[in-house]
Structures are given as C-alpha cells and as structure tokens.
C-alpha cells in the first residue's frame, strides 16, 4: 500500500521540474483555465434548465416565461461554444510553445555537453529525449491540464448542486463513487502496463525497420534476409497480440463505465420517490448529474495515469538537462574567456601550439582500466608528430586528450606551457583542426561547408584552399560548383571526396594545431596519394599530430611515436626506428610484405 502511495505522490514531484517552462505562459494558461471553468459552469447549468422547463412548462403548464427561457438557453449554449473554442486554442498554443521551448533548451544544452556524452548515448536515445519526451510533456501541461480543470470542476459542481437540492439522495448517489474509482483504477493500471509493452515493441519494430534499411547491404551479403524477416514478423505479431489486449481492456473499461452510470441511475430511480411528486424536474436533474458524473471520474483517472506515465518522460528530460559535461570550464575561466554562446574573444591569448603531456594517467569515464599511465611527452610548436600502432593501442586517446575532449584522470596536458584547464575549451578548439577517418559534412552546399571553417573566407581563399588539397576537381565536376548541395551528412560525395573537402575546410580555419586521425584509412589508393600530398602541404607551419595506418605515409615525420598498450614503446625518425629493429621495424616489414603480396595479386 505504501508503495502505491509513493507512486501516486511522485508525479506531482516531477511536475515541479516542468514548472519553470510553464511560467512564461502563465497568462495563456490562466485564460485557458478560466474559459474552461466558465464552460463547465454552463454544462452544470444544463440539467437546471431541464429541471426548470419540466417543472414550469410541463408540470406547471404555463408558457409565460418560454421566450426568455429560450433566449437565455441560446446565450448559454453559445457561451460554452465560445469558451470551449478559446480554451482549446489556448491549450494548443501552450502545447506548441512549451514544446518549442523544451526542444530549444535540450538542443542548446546538448551543444554544451562533452564528447563523452555522445560517446555513451546513442543517437536514437538522444533523439527520443529531444523529440518524444518533450512532446509528451508539452501535451501534459496543456491538454491534460485543461481536461483536469474541466472534469474536476464539473464533478465538484455536480456534487455541490446535488447536495444543495437534496442531500440525502446526493449522498446515496455519491456512495458508489469509491467503488467506481477502485474499478477504474484497476483497469487503468493494467492499461498502463500493456501500453508500455506496446510502446517498447513499437520502438523495437522501428529500430528493426531502420536496421533493415540502413543495413540492407550487409543483410544481403550475409544472406540473413530470412532471419531478419522472421524477427520482424515475430515482433509485429507480438505487437498485434498486445494491441488486441489493449482494445479488450478498453472495451471492458467502457462497459464498466456504462454499468456504473446505470447503477447511479438506478439509485436515483429507486430512491427518487422521496422527492416530492410534483418535482419531476428535480428528479430528471438528479438523473442527469448522476450519469454525467461518471465521465469526469473516468477522465480524472485518465489524467492521473497520464501524469504517472509522463513522469518517466519528465525524469529522462530533466536528467538530460541536469547532465553536466565531463569537461567543464571553471567559473573563473568562463568569466574571462566566455562560453560557446558568448565568447569573450578580446580576452583570448594568441595560441602558440606547444603541447605537453605531464605524468598523465587516463581512464575513460566508462572504462575500467587505464589507457595511459604516467605518460609524458613534449611536442614543441611546429613539429610534425606521427603516431603509429595497432588498433586499440591508444592513438586516438592521445589526440582526444590534446583536444580536451577528455581530461586526464591524473596529471596534466599543457598548451603553451599552461594547464589546458586554465583556458576555455572554446579557446583551444578554435585553434585546432581535426580531421577524422569518417569525414563529416553538414547538409547544405559545398560553400556553406567550407565556410564553417572560416565564415569570413573570400572566394579567392576558398579556391586556394581547394587547390592546396587538389579538391578543385571535386567541385568542378559538380553541376553547380561550390553551390552544389552535398546532401545529408555529405551523402552525395564519396568518402574520399568528403575527406578532401574536410581538409579544405580545416585549411580555411588555419589552425595552429592540426590533428588527423587515420584520415586516409577509408579512401582508395589514388585519393590517398592526393590526400598524402595535401597533408604534406598543410602541416607546414603548424603543430601536427598525424595518426597513420599506413606507415609508408609517415616517413617524413619529425618524430614517430610507436604506441602499444597506451605506452610509447619507441620514438624517433623513420630511419632510426628501422635501424633499431624493434616493434616499428616489424610493423613496417609486415605491412610492406602485405602490400607487396597484394600488388602481386593485383598484377597477376
Ligand atoms: N570512449 C571510450 N570508452 C571506453 N574505452 C575506450 C573508449 N575509446 C577507446 N577506449 C579503449 O581505449 C583503448 C585505446 O583506444 P583508442 O585510443 O581508440 O585506440 P586506437 O585509436 O589506437 O585504435 C582501447 O582499449 C579501447 O577499447
Ligand atoms: Mg583510433
């Protein structure tokens, strides 16, 4: 019993978190509630009208007041129409506005979260927080609120009028209310449970469906069409079963409602004799109220269960809003350097590009072992560092720390001789160019994408950057040149082409520090050669960290770091490392042999 009570009290606790978003719409909500109350007021009057007409026009058999009666009746009915219209449109307005505010707040907040949040939460999860949770909350604070006002006030009004007219009969009618509440709650609890199961199945079906489409190639090559189809049929079958159960429950629910109102009616009929015989009107009024009370009770229980289910949405939404970035700037830093939405660039020091790791220990927030331990390294400005090693060795981790996407668990990363945490993330990020293995372009034109690198770049600078990385061809062969659309995520271009564009974008930004994480891993050999010569051009005059999967591309680096299990096991120039005949030597010869063999096969 206590657990039920706890559950019931929780919703009101959760709604508190939404109040700040409703505050702005106080006036709209107030008008909505007032109009709702007025319309219920008229609804409550209708049985009174009937009572009057029955008592006077039929019982009393005089029609003197009929014209007045008609006039007032018409006015009252028009009033409810107007009030209904106003409260509905205000509820709609609140829903739309609160929705928009919640989404904007969520999106802005997401922009402030660090890399690791996106690492740990799937796109689907985040999408649901921003889109569906907000819409459930929006409808709760508008429609559910309005429904509760309507029905609660009707219920209270009906009870008060009945008590006033005939307390004894009123109490008898009300005696069945607790029974009804218990019955309704019983069905409602089951409905909530089955509905939740339906929703879960639904999301599984959606994700199966998405995978079936996005993974079409993989599915075909693995020849698992049959299995995928079977899984899908199973899920949709389960969905059908559950949905049928929902309609069963709903049907039983309505039947109970009918029985309940008949019961109330029966009580009035049975006990109605106590009412004076000439008061036919009063008798009919009681019947009306007794029946009319059932619907509000059902709605109220509905509204409460809405509140309970929406609780989950509110919780998840507020959890997102309360998530603090793993990497945050201190108040002092924010004071001086500003934040992403309001950077104080005038206070920013010019960035040099010296990087130093000092006794760094690092474990991923969701990891369980140290990736780096007591790691130290100095990278003076202008050096060209290559990082090589097997998959999982910790290469990307190193550059993630330089970019401050993560912070050391212990120790320091220093930029220009000062702990990175003494300056803002934005300050650092504005000086870093980062090109990944899977380049990302935004939907829009090529020009728009390049301008993300530097919004003030001139036409001439754009073309110079494109030429530098031999990407003019990519642009020239497109129908509208720079103004060609690249599609969502750059879909209209090949990976290699996207990579060249993202290089040009990085050049336009003119960063002091350039990070390339396996930038050539997913392109063909020809493009790789182009990109390789592009890299040689653009790393000049910058500190560069190049993670390369092909060792032939790092021969000219100032320093090659060989990483294994999070430790630098060898470092030096290409020739020195080869001479040392260590890990680098074996990696190199193995790759050399593999390439020789594959080219042998290619020529055969
Ligand atoms: N976001 C992460 N959370 C937890 N562990 C991670 C994460 N990213 C990488 N790791 C782990 O850290 C180690 C180094 O990974 P990484 O730096 O990505 O290697 P590389 O880039 O050399 O292939 C691996 O053991 C990997 O499993
Ligand atoms: Mg990596």
């Amino acid at each position: 019993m206590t657990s039920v009570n706890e559950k019931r009290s929780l919703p009101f606790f959760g709604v508190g978190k939404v109040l700040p978003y409703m505050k702005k719409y106080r006036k709209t909500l107030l008008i909505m509630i007032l109009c709702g109350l007025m319309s219920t007021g008229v609804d409550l009057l209708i049985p009174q009208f009937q009572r009057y007409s029955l008592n006077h026009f039929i019982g009393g058999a005089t029609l003197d007041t009929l014209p007045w009666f008609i006039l007032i009746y018409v006015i009252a009915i028009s009033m409810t129409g107007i009030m209904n219209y106003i409260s509905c449109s205000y509820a709609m307005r609140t829903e739309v506005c609160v929705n928009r505010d919640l989404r904007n707040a969520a999106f802005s907040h997401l922009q402030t979260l660090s890399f690791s949040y996106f690492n740990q939460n799937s796109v689907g999860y985040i999408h649901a927080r921003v889109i569906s949770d907000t819409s459930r909350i929006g409808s709760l604070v508008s429609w559910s609120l309005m429904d509760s006002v309507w029905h609660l006030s009707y219920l209270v009004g009906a009870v008060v009028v009945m008590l006033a007219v005939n307390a004894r009969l009123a109490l008898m009618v009300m005696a069945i209310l607790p029974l009804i509440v218990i019955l309704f709650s019983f069905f409602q609890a089951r409905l909530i449970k089955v509905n939740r199961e339906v929703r879960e199945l639904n999301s599984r079906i959606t994700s199966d469906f998405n995978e079936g489409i996005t993974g079409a190639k993989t599915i075909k090559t693995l020849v698992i069409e049959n299995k995928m189809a079977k899984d899908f049929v199973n899920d949709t079958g389960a969905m059908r079963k559950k949905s049928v159960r929902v309609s069963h429950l709903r049907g039983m629910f309505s039947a109970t409602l009918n029985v309940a109102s008949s019961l109330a009616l029966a009580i009035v009929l049975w006990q109605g004799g106590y009412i004076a015989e000439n008061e036919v009107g009063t008798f009919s009024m009681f019947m009306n109220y007794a029946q009319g009370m059932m619907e509000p009770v059902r709605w109220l229980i509905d509204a409460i269960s809405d509140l309970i289910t929406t609780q989950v949405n509110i919780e998840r939404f507020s959890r997102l809003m309360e998530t603090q970035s793993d990497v945050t700037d201190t108040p002092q830093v924010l004071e001086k350097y500003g934040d992403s939405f309001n950077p104080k660039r005038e206070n920013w020091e010019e960035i040099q590009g010296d990087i130093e790791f000092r006794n760094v220990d690092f474990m991923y927030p969701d990891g369980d072992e140290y990736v780096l331990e007591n790691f130290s390294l100095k990278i003076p400005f202008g050096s060209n560092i290559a990082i090589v090693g097997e998959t999982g060795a910790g290469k990307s981790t190193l550059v993630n720390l330089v970019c401050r996407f993560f912070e050391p668990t212990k120790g320091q990363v220093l930029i220009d001789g000062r702990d990175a945490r003494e300056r803002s993330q934005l300050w650092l990020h504005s000086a870093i160019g980062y090109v990944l293995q899977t380049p990302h372009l935004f939907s829009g034109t090529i020009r728009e994408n390049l301008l993300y690198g530097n919004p003030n770049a001139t036409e001439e600078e754009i073309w110079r950057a494109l030429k530098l990385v031999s990407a003019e061809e990519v642009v020239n062969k497109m129908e509208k040149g720079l103004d060609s659309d690249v599609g969502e995520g750059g879909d209209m271009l090949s990976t290699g082409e996207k990579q060249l564009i993202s290089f040009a974008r990085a050049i336009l930004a003119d960063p002091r520090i350039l990070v390339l994480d396996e930038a050539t891993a997913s392109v063909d050999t020809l493009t790789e050669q182009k990109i390789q010569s592009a890299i040689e051009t653009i790393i000049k005059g910058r500190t560069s960290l190049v993670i390369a999967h092909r060792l032939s591309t790092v021969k000219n680096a100032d320093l090659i770091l060989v990483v294994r299990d999070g430790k630098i096991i060898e470092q030096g120039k290409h020739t020195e490392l080869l001479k040392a005949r260590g890990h680098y030597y074996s990696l190199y010869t193995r790759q050399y042999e593999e390439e020789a063999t594959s080219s042998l096969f290619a020529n055969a």
Side-chain angles (χ1 to χ4, degrees), residues 199-457:
R199 266 204 305 279
E200 269 160 23
L201 274 171
N202 195 30
S203 73
R204 210 155 82 211
I205 289 173
T206 317
S207 90
D208 279 359
F209 191 69
N210 279 345
E211 279 188 348
I213 293 171
T214 53
K217 256 189 201 159
T218 319
I219 291 171
K220 285 198 186 309
T221 51
L222 290 173
V223 202
I224 50 172
E225 289 99 331
N226 197 8
K227 184 188 173 309
M228 295 302 276
K230 262 195 199 135
D231 286 352
F232 197 72
V233 169
N234 280 344
D235 283 347
T236 51
M239 175 83 163
R240 185 196 64 91
K241 248 193 217 152
K242 292 280 174 210
S243 308
V244 169
R245 183 150 165 67
V246 169
S247 41
H248 266 304
L249 278 167
R250 282 201 185 287
M252 274 152 73
F253 201 177
S254 313
T256 324
L257 187 69
N258 284 337
V259 171
S261 49
S262 307
L263 204 62
L265 215 57
I267 292 175
V268 177
L269 286 171
W270 171 42
Q271 295 291 329
Y274 289 105
I275 299 167
E277 264 170 26
N278 60 347
E279 287 273 291
V280 196
T282 312
F283 186 66
S284 124
M285 182 203 77
F286 255 95
M287 298 218 314
N288 272 319
Y289 283 137
Q291 266 194 305
M293 257 166 46
M294 300 308 139
E295 193 59 17
V297 173
R298 191 182 80 117
W299 267 105
L300 280 174
I301 293 172
D302 247 7
I304 292 172
S305 70
D306 241 11
L307 206 55
I308 295 172
T309 47
T310 312
Q311 176 68 17
V312 179
N313 305 83
I314 296 177
E315 244 166 45
R316 286 191 298 214
F317 177 79
S318 27
R319 205 173 316 136
L320 164 65
M321 296 306 290
E322 283 158 13
T323 305
Q324 284 290 326
S325 179
D326 288 332
V327 179
T328 46
D329 294 325
T330 61
Q332 296 90 308
V333 166
L334 285 175
E335 170 83 19
K336 180 171 174 200
Y337 294 84
D339 60 19
S340 332
F341 301 108
N342 188 16
K344 300 180 180 165
R345 286 179 200 271
E346 64 278 8
N347 295 340
W348 291 9
E349 295 93 350
E350 188 78 26
I351 191 163
Q352 260 302 317
D354 286 322
I355 304 167
E356 185 185 344
F357 286 85
R358 196 179 282 172
N359 309 108
V360 170
D361 285 351
F362 179 70
M363 186 195 295
Y364 278 100
D366 57 336
D368 47 16
E369 61 182 300
Y370 280 97
V371 182
L372 297 178
E373 271 176 289
N374 201 20
F375 179 78
S376 295
L377 175 72
K378 270 190 184 176
I379 305 171
F381 170 70
S383 26
N384 167 213
I385 309 290
I387 306 172
V388 303
E390 277 148 9
T391 304
K395 306 182 295 294
S396 300
T397 307
L398 275 180
V399 299
N400 279 340
L401 284 166
V402 171
C403 298
R404 210 178 152 202
F405 290 144
F406 294 94
E407 283 177 347
T409 317
K410 228 179 102 201
Q412 291 177 300
V413 174
L414 300 105
I415 307 289
D416 295 348
R418 277 172 64 188
D419 193 314
R421 285 170 284 209
E422 286 174 29
R423 260 99 52 122
S424 76
Q425 296 169 69
L426 204 64
W427 170 83
L428 178 63
H429 291 164
S430 68
I432 292 183
Y434 190 73
V435 181
L436 290 140
Q437 176 177 353
T438 43
H440 184 86
L441 297 187
F442 297 96
S443 46
T445 63
I446 296 184
R447 186 196 302 278
E448 282 164 352
N449 268 289
L450 291 171
L451 290 180
Y452 278 117
N454 173 7
N456 303 320

Side-chain angles (χ1 to χ4, degrees), residues 388 390 551 560 562-564 569-591:
V388 303
E390 277 148 9
L551 302 183
I560 299 173
V562 185
V563 185
R564 188 180 201 177
I569 52 167
E570 289 166 28
Q571 53 179 298
K573 283 188 182 278
H574 178 68
T575 42
E576 295 163 12
L577 288 171
L578 279 186
K579 260 188 219 147
R581 302 220 155 209
H583 191 58
Y584 183 80
Y585 175 81
S586 66
L587 281 175
Y588 188 81
T589 44
R590 196 165 70 213
Q591 218 175 57

